[in-house]
Amino acid sequence: MKKLKIYSILLTMTVASSLFYGCKQTTKETVAPSKVGDKSPITITFYNADANPKGTGFSDAVAKKITEKTGVTLKIEAPVGGSNARIPLMIASSDYPDMIYAKGDTNKLVDAGALIKLDDYIKKSPNISSIYGDFFNRLKYSVEDPSIYTLGAYGVGAKLWAPNSMFQIQQAVLKDQGYPKLKTLADFEKAITDYKAKYPTINGQKTIGLSLCADDWRWLITVGNPVGSALGHQDDGEWIVDAKTHVATYKFMATKAREYYKWLNSMNAKGLLDPESFTQKYDAYKSKLATGRVLALTDSPWDFLEPATALVKDNKADRTWAPQPITLDETITNAGMRDVGYSGGWGVGITTAAKNPQRVVDFLEFLSSDEGQVLTHWGIEGVNYTVENGKRVRSEAEQTKKNTDPDYVINSGVGAYSYPFPERGDGLMDKTGSPYTTNTTDSIIKNYNVAEKETLKAYGATMFKDLFPASTDISDYGAAFQTSMPTGSDMEINFKKAEDYCQANVPKAVLASPEKFDAVWDEMQVQLKKIGMEKTAAEYSKLLQDKVKLWEEK
């Protein structure tokens, strides 16, 4: 899912120490302060469906500076145990926070009448208006209700510099095998097989070929998403969408999906799949990855950033993973570098419970200002970065801290308040000529770990995106998973039934004895048709086609 962009966002967390540059001349940065209204002290309650529970205190240096500028203190609530059951409870009780980021449950809040319309507020908010610019149509809710209820998350106008790859393999494996070009599942499997046979243990523990994590909603990431990638499609969540006709197919009913899961079934039969893939909790998964004994993953980089950072800190950079352009076979082109564009579907909304919605808008207006964007992405001048010759720079010491401290964001606040709030994307420059975010091609290249640099050099590449087929095509419907279904509709009910059914039965297919796989998979297709997923897919296709029309309106 598009959360893969979080990886890019997390990569932007940065740097610079005035002590490191103490002998150099610095120039005081000039960032025009934003114009906001009332700055008297106020606490705004905020439920963030993606918040890290460890980072909800709003007490770091960046948070304190935001409070100084706006008078706002955020009281942040995070999901318990990674579950978003809190949102249905809010709706049932009509007990809402002032502000909310609900991700895929946004439609439920709109249908419950829990979110206020932001159109008139936006017209009076120049900083917010400036960020979204030509993308305002993408903030509209639907053809039937073209109101704006949320300010879309993810960087607006971002450049695509990191591949959306679901297949990762250790740098150590690639090096040991002479940096082979891996293109197909057969190539991927051979690399894992040969290395595991050669090194049955790593650091005294049994080597694991491929590990998945089916804990809670993460089964969508490591179990569901890879099939779309293997079949040559962009990340559209639980759908595979024809880029030209916008016809959607439920992922587990796609013609060649059987072949992908049959491959996983064979990996299990050969002892190459982690036997705990469908039972381990996320924390156990991360801990296992941090040991360095898992050779390969089918996961998005943002989901394993913490163990990867820990490996670098432990001088085990060679045990981190490199993205690979893997597909089912050589007839399929990997779509890891297809730009989905700005989707706008998920974002921060203001609820009807907010006693002073204008103060919430003023808070978002400050974050949308150049001053707010620099603060949230770069941190505190003189602490996290300095300014030299009018340009923001970051120190090696600060960057090292970011690269090796899994809690850097929580401790420093740098990057903690960019997503899911309004933000400009990677590659965009402010009036000083400095990038709004800390991500640039130069910074990405510079901050690859030592093993990543060695891998890229061996392949004759500058960045990992160079290993993937180039793509100039941009999705005209964004990412499908950000298109919501009407709450309580047959479409939504059938989809939920199918998801529950697949979450229980896809593992059964993968873990079945090879001779029984086809029977299990065939039965899944029968049951999904009975649930009504062919009709649901047709209805969902209509939603995507309507979205394209809405976005095209002038």
Side-chain angles (χ1 to χ4, degrees):
M1 300 170 68
K2 193 160 183 176
K3 229 171 152 180
L4 58 95
K5 296 242 180 179
I6 299 174
Y7 177 58
S8 297
I9 294 167
L10 288 172
L11 283 175
T12 68
M13 299 160 198
T14 75
V15 312
S17 159
S18 57
L19 293 175
F20 183 85
Y21 288 101
C23 60
K24 298 183 180 180
Q25 172 128 14
T26 60
T27 306
K28 182 68 177 176
E29 180 176 24
T30 304
V31 179
S34 63
K35 294 181 179 179
V36 296
D38 184 5
K39 294 183 182 179
S40 60
I42 185 175
T43 296
I44 293 175
T45 54
F46 173 46
Y47 178 81
N48 181 355
D50 256 350
N52 183 333
K54 293 194 297 183
T56 56
F58 204 67
S59 58
D60 54 78
V62 173
K64 290 177 181 177
K65 180 63 70 171
I66 291 173
T67 300
E68 175 189 321
K69 294 290 183 177
T70 64
V72 171
T73 297
L74 286 186
K75 183 178 180 182
I76 304 172
E77 182 182 354
V80 176
S83 170
N84 273 328
R86 180 78 179 87
I87 293 174
L89 290 175
M90 289 179 193
I91 294 172
S93 63
S94 296
D95 182 14
Y96 302 108
D98 300 314
M99 183 169 58
I100 189 167
Y101 176 55
K103 297 176 64 180
D105 285 330
T106 299
N107 63 313
K108 295 180 176 63
L109 293 170
V110 173
D111 293 343
L115 298 181
I116 67 172
K117 296 182 179 182
L118 300 176
D119 305 65
D120 290 340
Y121 287 103
I122 292 171
K123 292 176 184 177
K124 301 174 184 177
S125 305
N127 294 324
I128 294 173
S129 298
S130 177
I131 280 189
Y132 293 104
D134 295 335
F135 295 97
F136 269 118
N137 277 2
R138 299 193 175 201
L139 296 177
K140 293 180 179 179
Y141 185 64
S142 68
V143 171
E144 292 76 19
D145 181 4
S147 305
I148 296 174
Y149 292 98
T150 61
L151 296 179
Y154 309 111
V156 180
K159 309 297 182 185
L160 183 59
W161 289 328
N164 178 11
S165 172
M166 293 306 304
F167 296 89
Q168 323 283 337
I169 196 163
Q170 278 190 358
Q171 325 282 344
V173 175
L174 296 173
K175 182 177 182 178
D176 182 78
Q177 298 179 20
Y179 297 101
K181 290 188 177 180
L182 307 182
K183 294 183 178 180
T184 67
L185 289 176
D187 297 335
F188 196 59
E189 178 179 338
K190 184 178 186 303
I192 296 168
T193 301
D194 291 350
Y195 192 88
K196 187 173 185 292
K198 188 174 180 180
Y199 304 100
T201 62
I202 294 174
N203 298 324
Q205 294 181 291
K206 185 178 179 180
T207 301
I208 296 172
L210 171 67
S211 187
L212 317 179
C213 182
D215 183 25
D216 200 24
W217 58 266
R218 278 187 168 80
W219 83 278
L220 302 171
I221 310 300
T222 72
V223 181
N225 278 7
V227 65
S229 182
L231 299 185
H233 294 273
Q234 70 174 43
D235 178 11
D236 281 317
E238 294 304 272
W239 302 94
I240 287 177
V241 181
D242 185 290
K244 294 182 179 179
T245 65
H246 311 122
V247 171
T249 301
Y250 186 53
K251 183 179 291 182
F252 301 106
M253 298 180 77
T255 303
K256 290 190 175 183
R258 174 195 298 265
E259 296 181 45
Y260 175 75
Y261 290 102
K262 198 165 192 174
W263 171 75
L264 266 188
N265 174 271
S266 73
M267 291 286 283
N268 180 63
K270 295 171 183 175
L272 297 173
L273 181 66
D274 183 357
E276 296 179 332
S277 287
F278 298 107
T279 57
Q280 62 189 342
K281 295 297 184 181
Y282 181 52
D283 284 344
Y285 172 70
K286 289 191 295 181
S287 295
K288 186 179 293 180
L289 298 189
T291 67
R293 65 189 179 108
V294 179
L295 304 184
L297 310 172
T298 53
D299 200 353
S300 293
W302 55 263
D303 199 35
F304 57 86
L305 182 60
E306 187 177 327
T309 301
L311 286 167
V312 174
K313 184 178 182 179
D314 290 343
N315 295 315
K316 298 176 182 177
D318 62 326
R319 296 297 176 189
T320 61
W321 302 268
Q324 299 295 303
I326 303 299
T327 54
L328 190 66
D329 57 52
E330 292 187 354
T331 67
I332 299 172
T333 300
N334 185 280
M337 284 304 295
R338 184 173 193 244
D339 191 348
V340 301
Y342 184 69
S343 293
W346 293 357
V348 173
I350 301 173
T351 76
T352 53
K355 295 180 180 179
N356 193 338
Q358 184 61 57
R359 285 299 301 273
V360 185
V361 172
D362 287 347
F363 169 77
L364 296 171
E365 173 72 353
F366 170 75
L367 294 186
S368 301
S369 69
D370 278 12
E371 183 181 10
Q373 292 290 291
V374 171
L375 174 62
T376 55
H377 284 100
W378 286 83
I380 308 297
E381 183 179 354
V383 176
N384 308 112
Y385 74 95
T386 55
V387 177
E388 297 180 13
N389 300 319
K391 302 294 174 60
R392 288 183 289 278
V393 295
R394 38 191 194 172
S395 72
E396 295 289 344
E398 186 75 5
Q399 186 60 41
T400 298
K401 190 186 303 182
K402 179 263 174 186
N403 288 344
T404 59
D405 180 3
D407 289 330
Y408 175 81
V409 180
I410 295 168
N411 294 333
S412 69
V414 180
Y417 313 106
S418 48
Y419 169 87
F421 300 109
E423 61 174 325
R424 298 183 188 272
D426 293 339
L428 300 184
M429 300 289 188
D430 67 10
K431 61 186 178 183
T432 72
S434 292
Y436 282 103
T437 77
T438 58
N439 253 4
T440 65
T441 54
D442 287 343
S443 70
I444 292 172
I445 293 168
K446 180 180 179 182
N447 292 305
Y448 284 133
N449 68 52
V450 62
E452 290 173 328
K453 290 177 180 177
E454 188 175 359
T455 296
L456 289 167
K457 182 178 179 181
Y459 283 114
T462 303
M463 301 173 71
F464 279 109
K465 71 181 184 65
D466 300 333
L467 303 182
F468 288 69
S471 175
T472 56
D473 185 27
I474 299 178
S475 171
D476 53 4
Y477 61 87
F481 63 82
Q482 289 200 33
T483 299
S484 299
M485 302 175 190
T487 303
S489 64
D490 288 343
M491 187 190 333
E492 185 186 58
I493 292 169
N494 290 345
F495 179 75
K496 180 63 168 62
K497 288 179 180 178
E499 290 289 271
D500 290 344
Y501 177 78
C502 287
Q503 188 168 7
N505 286 274
V506 169
K508 291 180 182 179
V510 173
L511 299 177
S513 59
E515 66 272 12
K516 294 182 179 179
F517 173 84
D518 283 329
V520 176
W521 194 261
D522 288 341
E523 177 61 19
M524 282 181 56
Q525 303 310 301
V526 170
Q527 294 303 320
L528 288 172
K529 288 177 182 177
K530 285 184 178 180
I531 288 172
M533 284 309 290
E534 289 178 322
K535 179 182 178 183
T536 296
E539 293 172 335
Y540 197 73
S541 299
K542 179 64 165 53
L543 290 180
L544 293 177
Q545 292 157 2
D546 285 347
K547 174 182 273 190
V548 172
K549 293 177 183 177
L550 178 66
W551 285 6
E552 288 176 345
E553 289 179 1
K554 300 298 182 183

